[in-house]
Amino acid sequence: MAASIPPPEVNLSEQYEKEKNDPAMIKYLQSLGIDPSYVAPKDDPRRCVINEFSIVFKEGHDPITLKLNSEEDIKSAAKTPLVIKEGTEFKIRIMFRVQHNVVLGLKIVNHVKRMGKTVADDEEMLGTYPPKNDFQQLEIPRNDWNEAPSGMLLRGEYKSSMQFIDDDKKCHLQFDYILKIAKDWNE
């Protein structure tokens, strides 16, 4: 079977310029979420910028946030345990922005290990996103909550690795983090 070849890049600014006299095409592009006022940053070549990873709780605690703006932030994330009280309901919140061009089929791949053994391998499709000037927020799961494990045997640290990958197999960000399931918030 032949390897799939990604479609050629389409410069959205050029596309708007070519179609500026066709109101129907402009309306169609806008219906896809493509902003005609979008301006690509000249100093940042990344296609997808993830600047924050948070754990938000249904009740009882403020969100816990890891900043992912620099290499130092990413290194710090790997060393800073995120404490979650056992049995607590939570979601993951991502702050991100797509720039320069559309990202097709963005997904999160998350690997979780405890004591060297894989306890979870999750993949969550986020969708296709056009470039935007502003960061947007996405919570996972979208319609429900995860529940932290509970019980003495399940407390402890879980080493995790998260990747943001698109349909072209481009990894936009990979970072490691530690979840600590505790009997109480201040452990």
Side-chain angles (χ1 to χ4, degrees):
M1 185 162 103
S4 65
I5 298 170
E9 292 286 321
V10 175
N11 183 306
L12 294 176
S13 299
E14 289 173 11
Q15 191 67 33
Y16 263 110
E17 187 61 31
K18 282 195 313 193
E19 305 294 348
K20 70 181 178 186
N21 295 325
D22 184 350
M25 181 56 90
I26 295 297
K27 189 172 183 174
Y28 171 70
L29 292 171
Q30 288 173 331
S31 76
L32 296 175
I34 299 171
D35 181 0
S37 67
Y38 171 73
V39 178
K42 295 188 184 333
D43 61 341
D44 188 352
R46 295 176 294 173
R47 175 83 56 93
C48 186
V49 178
I50 298 97
N51 73 342
E52 236 177 56
F53 167 85
S54 300
I55 299 176
V56 295
F57 301 96
K58 189 171 184 178
E59 50 190 52
H61 201 273
D62 292 334
I64 303 169
T65 300
L66 294 174
K67 299 287 186 189
L68 302 170
N69 293 314
S70 66
E71 285 298 318
E72 293 79 31
D73 289 344
I74 292 168
K75 288 177 185 172
S76 176
K79 300 175 195 166
T80 309
L82 306 173
V83 178
I84 300 177
K85 182 180 174 185
E86 63 182 348
T88 303
E89 292 182 297
F90 69 96
K91 291 184 182 205
I92 292 173
R93 178 183 296 154
I94 307 298
M95 294 291 289
F96 71 101
R97 176 178 69 202
V98 171
Q99 43 190 39
H100 301 290
N101 214 330
V102 175
V103 170
L104 302 172
L106 183 63
K107 66 183 171 185
I108 292 177
V109 178
N110 194 38
H111 305 285
V112 181
K113 293 184 176 188
R114 177 144 190 250
M115 294 189 271
K117 184 177 188 302
T118 299
V119 294
D121 263 335
D122 298 317
E123 191 172 296
E124 179 79 27
M125 178 58 72
L126 303 179
T128 295
Y129 295 91
K132 293 192 178 212
N133 291 316
D134 299 320
F135 280 86
Q136 56 195 60
Q137 171 180 297
L138 184 65
E139 290 185 353
I140 305 160
R142 292 181 173 136
N143 302 315
D144 203 3
W145 293 87
N146 292 319
E147 185 175 335
S150 59
M152 185 175 72
L153 295 176
L154 298 175
R155 287 184 219 133
E157 290 190 354
Y158 293 76
K159 294 184 188 274
S160 305
S161 178
M162 184 172 282
Q163 295 176 305
F164 292 82
I165 303 171
D166 66 23
D167 278 352
D168 294 330
K169 308 290 186 250
K170 165 97 172 102
C171 182
H172 297 281
L173 175 68
Q174 187 277 321
F175 70 98
D176 297 327
Y177 64 102
I178 301 168
L179 286 178
K180 181 178 179 184
I181 305 300
K183 189 170 185 171
D184 207 343
W185 291 109
N186 50 5
E187 282 188 30

